[in-house]
Amino acid sequence: MICLHVWQPSGVARPVILLLSGPNLNLLGDRDPEVYGTDSLLDHVTATRERAHDQDFDLEHIQSNHEGDLIDAIHGARKRVAAIVINPGALTHYSWALHDALAAYEGPVVEVHLSDPKKREPWRHLSVVEPVAISSVTGKGGAGYLEAVDIAINACTKNDG
Ligand code: DQA
C-alpha cells in the first residue's frame, strides 16, 4: 500500500485525506434524525477536518448524489491524496463500479457509516466497499468519522518508515 504524502517534498503542502459522501448525505440533520442524528454534513466535515489538521493532514470533501461524480473523484485521488475516507450512502450496497474505482486507488480506504447497516434492513447488509477498505467503522454516529480519519492517518504514518 502506498501513502502518497511520502512522496511529497517536505515543507510544501500537507498530505491530503479525501472524504467522500454519497447520495442523500447532503440531507443529514433533516433526514431520519432518529437514525442518522441531528448534525448536518457540514458539522461532520468540520469536525473531521479539525481532527485531520490536528495530525498535520489536510482534508478535502466532496459530496455527490451521482455515482459517476464519486468515481471521478476517486480517479482524481490516484497518485495525489494520502488516503480516502468514504461514506458511500446507499451505493455501499450495490455499486460495484465504486468498488472497482476504490480497488484501483493505491492508498488506504476507510469506510464509514453513521448507522450500522448490518443491523438494519437485509438489503443493507452487503457492503461492496468493505472488501476494498482497510477498515469499516459503523454505528458510531459522528464519532465514527473521527475514528475513520484516525485509522486512515495511522495507516499512512505506519508506512512512513
Ligand atoms: C449510511 C447507511 C446506508 O445504508 C444509507 O443508505 C445511507 C447512510 C450511514 O451512514 O449509515 O445513506 O451510509
Side-chain angles (χ1 to χ4, degrees):
M1 181 175 298
I2 298 169
C3 277
L4 296 172
H5 73 287
V6 175
W7 301 356
Q8 288 179 312
S10 60
V12 179
R14 290 193 290 194
V16 173
I17 303 289
L18 177 62
L19 174 62
L20 291 174
S21 301
N24 302 307
L25 295 176
N26 53 311
L27 300 180
L28 285 176
D30 268 354
R31 171 194 179 208
D32 296 334
E34 64 290 347
V35 178
Y36 300 119
T38 51
D39 285 347
S40 67
L41 183 58
L42 182 61
D43 293 331
H44 293 302
V45 173
T46 302
T48 310
R49 179 171 283 130
E50 276 170 17
R51 185 72 153 229
H53 284 176
D54 287 346
Q55 298 172 78
D56 285 327
F57 279 66
D58 278 329
L59 186 130
E60 290 176 12
H61 174 244
I62 295 172
Q63 188 277 328
S64 180
N65 295 321
H66 305 280
E67 184 181 29
D69 287 347
L70 296 167
I71 291 168
D72 287 345
I74 294 164
H75 292 178
R78 299 178 73 224
K79 301 185 175 65
R80 190 180 70 80
V81 313
I84 294 176
V85 174
I86 182 165
N87 182 345
L91 293 173
T92 305
H93 313 300
Y94 64 90
S95 177
W96 291 103
L98 205 55
H99 164 106
D100 283 353
L102 290 167
Y105 169 71
E106 51 286 270
V109 174
V110 180
E111 176 186 18
V112 62
H113 298 281
L114 290 158
S115 67
D116 183 352
K118 291 189 175 24
K119 294 189 175 149
R120 299 177 62 194
E121 305 95 313
W123 63 268
R124 294 186 203 269
H125 293 185
L126 172 69
S127 168
V128 300
V129 169
E130 199 173 350
V132 291
I134 60 165
S135 184
S136 299
V137 182
T138 64
K140 297 186 175 176
Y145 278 87
L146 306 183
E147 188 174 325
V149 84
D150 285 350
I151 292 168
I153 290 173
N154 282 342
C156 292
T157 311
K158 259 191 236 140
N159 278 328
D160 245 355

